[in-house]
Amino acid sequence: QDGRTSGKSERRETPERGTVFAMLCARRRLSTWALEGIGKPNFDASKVFLAPSASVVGDVTIGNGSSVWYNCVLRGDVNEIRIGEETNIQDGTVIHVAKHNAQGTSLPTVIGNQVTVGHMALLHACTLEDLSFVGMGAVVMDGCVMSRGSMLAAGSLLTPGKTIPSGEIWGGRPARYMRDLTEKEKDFLPVSAKKYAELASVHMNNLVKTA
């Protein structure tokens, strides 16, 4: 021996893609929890990226092509959470529900297709229609509706019962109408969803635990 080691002996073996995916599926199961008498998470693990550190609890349905990123919490206990296809719930977001409002109306959280929810958002008992966009750190409260193709600016607070009409951007605390979205901004909404779906595929197929 001359003190050198071969590259082969030092190289860390990389699991085959199928092995990595199997590892991820096992890890993601640890992040999902059923609640007896209430329900369990419902999604296709081969078509949804659920980050290892995310927690999905109770009556939660996630559509194909969607992604729930690191350190998110989705808690469907007193009501249901429904998420459509190609929607991204970015890192640190919290989603919860309410049983009903003072008038007795049920208040689940319903999120449509190709919705983008920015990092550290808080969604509570609200509805986000297709192609809506929630900025980073924004809060959407009970009974709110974000109409198709609407946007809430980063850091904003949408107070209970408010509706953002289609094609508008609201911002502030409390959030108010700012302006109409430009055509370029409208065109960006499905692009944002597609890009995140592609990025989720990268994480799903290439994430390897190192320690």
Side-chain angles (χ1 to χ4, degrees):
Q1 296 288 336
D2 60 1
R4 293 177 297 175
T5 56
S6 69
K8 183 176 180 180
S9 63
E10 289 185 339
R11 186 181 303 117
R12 185 185 184 91
E13 292 297 325
T14 301
E16 295 295 327
R17 177 163 294 196
T19 303
V20 172
F21 182 70
M23 291 164 57
L24 283 171
C25 284
R27 217 175 287 137
R28 276 179 276 157
R29 281 197 293 272
L30 295 176
S31 301
T32 63
W33 303 88
L35 283 173
E36 293 185 4
I38 293 175
K40 63 180 182 179
N42 178 26
F43 63 95
D44 185 339
S46 69
K47 296 179 181 178
V48 171
F49 173 62
L50 176 61
S53 56
S55 294
V56 179
V57 181
D59 189 358
V60 181
T61 298
I62 305 172
N64 292 341
S66 290
S67 53
V68 179
W69 291 80
Y70 303 93
N71 296 324
C72 288
V73 176
L74 282 62
R75 178 156 59 94
D77 46 14
V78 297
N79 217 318
E80 64 184 12
I81 296 172
R82 295 291 179 264
I83 298 173
E85 298 184 351
E86 289 193 336
T87 284
N88 58 91
I89 310 298
Q90 296 176 21
D91 315 70
T93 292
V94 174
I95 303 178
H96 193 222
V97 293
K99 190 170 184 179
H100 51 71
N101 61 15
Q103 290 72 43
T105 302
S106 179
L107 289 177
T109 292
V110 180
I111 301 173
N113 301 322
Q114 294 193 316
V115 174
T116 292
V117 179
H119 312 287
M120 301 290 288
L122 172 59
L123 310 179
H124 198 271
C126 57
T127 297
L128 311 184
E129 295 183 355
D130 297 350
L131 292 168
S132 53
F133 187 107
V134 178
M136 293 182 289
V139 178
V140 184
M141 296 187 68
D142 298 37
C144 289
V145 176
M146 290 188 61
S147 302
R148 178 185 176 90
S150 62
M151 184 178 291
L152 181 64
S156 298
L157 171 63
L158 192 62
T159 51
K162 292 292 192 297
T163 295
I164 303 181
S166 179
E168 293 184 3
I169 178 170
W170 286 34
R173 299 178 75 88
R176 294 183 173 86
Y177 170 79
M178 295 174 64
R179 58 177 174 81
D180 290 349
L181 293 173
T182 66
E183 290 304 314
K184 187 174 182 179
E185 288 168 334
K186 292 178 183 178
D187 292 341
F188 172 73
L189 296 175
V191 173
S192 173
K194 289 287 187 184
K195 291 295 185 182
Y196 250 92
E198 293 170 3
L199 184 58
S201 180
V202 172
H203 282 249
M204 179 181 287
N205 292 315
N206 298 286
L207 191 66
V208 178
K209 188 172 176 59
T210 59

